Amino acid sequence: MCTTSIQPIIAALKHAYPEPRCELNYNADAPHELLIAARLSAQCTDKRVNQVTPALFEKFQCVEDFAVADVSEIEQLVKTCGLYKTKAASIKAMCEALVANHSGEIPQDMDALLQLSGVGRKTANLIRGELFGKPAIVADTHVIRLSNRLGLVSGTKDAYKVEVALREFVPESESMAFCHRLVLHGRAVCNARKPDCMVCMLQEHCAQVC
């Protein structure tokens, strides 16, 4: 698919979701909150993460607080997010690395982000796009599913392959908002079990109309 053929899809999504935003709540003056919330969101809904993080960020208010925290205290506060022991351990290790290697700041570089405990390409792209305004494709489950249904990719659930494919024809200036809009559309209309094709504004562009 070329850039020109994706423009109607981008335009339709813009019309339906004019002000897309990251669904994870965080304080813009405390960017580490997004990094930690993203780690908690693995195999967990954003809604649940947003219920957990206010108490977590009240208890531990900066990267340094997490770095020196007793991991059991983190575990108790994130327990309802699932896989809580693994997540708590990686949050502490992540913050220890930020303090030791980055003066407590969130790095912008992809490789540096990927070296942090629990950070994969999806989270790294979210951080780069959301915090630093970099071109980013966040290939989460909704983006992967809709990209296949729309024919933007063909028969792959591999997040990296979807990321690479979308980078080829989604304009860099649209990339982050495009992903946010796909997530919103995936939740509202094109859900996994029963997509509501009859009301979908992307029906004429879809390779898998119901």
Side-chain angles (χ1 to χ4, degrees):
M1 177 174 287
C2 63
T3 303
T4 54
S5 61
I6 202 174
Q7 288 302 332
I9 295 174
I10 291 174
L13 287 169
K14 277 185 176 181
H15 181 75
Y17 311 101
E19 297 183 4
R21 58 177 292 273
C22 177
E23 295 293 289
L24 292 169
N25 296 335
Y26 70 98
N27 182 349
D29 294 326
H32 69 280
E33 292 186 359
L34 178 60
L35 183 61
I36 291 169
R39 179 65 188 97
L40 292 173
S41 70
Q43 300 182 45
C44 182
T45 65
D46 291 351
K47 181 179 180 180
R48 170 60 64 184
V49 173
N50 289 338
Q51 292 172 344
V52 166
T53 50
L56 180 67
F57 296 147
E58 182 178 357
K59 174 72 173 180
F60 306 109
Q61 298 186 2
C62 62
V63 170
E64 290 78 8
D65 287 348
F66 281 100
V68 300
D70 186 322
V71 71
S72 65
E73 292 187 276
I74 302 175
E75 288 176 0
Q76 289 305 308
L77 288 166
V78 304
K79 199 167 187 176
T80 59
C81 285
L83 302 174
Y84 69 97
K85 287 184 177 292
T86 299
K87 291 178 180 180
S90 65
I91 287 169
K92 179 174 171 63
M94 169 198 303
C95 290
E96 287 173 341
L98 289 174
V99 171
N101 303 323
H102 304 284
S103 301
E105 302 295 323
I106 310 298
Q108 298 187 34
D109 179 71
M110 174 66 81
D111 289 338
L113 285 165
L114 292 175
Q115 289 176 14
L116 298 173
S117 178
V119 175
R121 292 193 65 86
K122 182 179 78 170
T123 296
N125 274 303
L126 175 66
I127 295 302
R128 282 169 53 81
E130 187 73 15
L131 296 183
F132 303 115
K134 304 287 187 182
I137 297 293
V138 182
D140 84 335
T141 181
H142 298 287
V143 172
I144 293 170
R145 183 177 71 254
L146 269 67
S147 293
N148 276 278
R149 286 180 175 172
L150 289 166
L152 304 178
V153 298
S154 180
T156 181
K157 294 183 179 180
D158 186 296
Y160 181 66
K161 290 181 179 178
V162 173
E163 177 190 336
V164 171
L166 293 183
R167 284 186 186 278
E168 291 185 8
F169 46 79
V170 178
E172 289 187 348
S173 61
E174 302 280 358
S175 59
M176 194 67 185
F178 179 75
C179 292
H180 283 330
R181 290 183 172 110
L182 284 184
V183 170
L184 291 171
H185 192 59
R187 288 174 176 163
V189 178
C190 192
N191 62 61
R193 294 185 179 180
K194 192 176 180 181
D196 195 353
C197 299
M198 297 302 294
V199 303
C200 182
M201 72 291 193
L202 298 178
Q203 185 179 124
E204 66 180 290
H205 310 296
C206 189
Q208 190 179 321
V209 177
C210 302

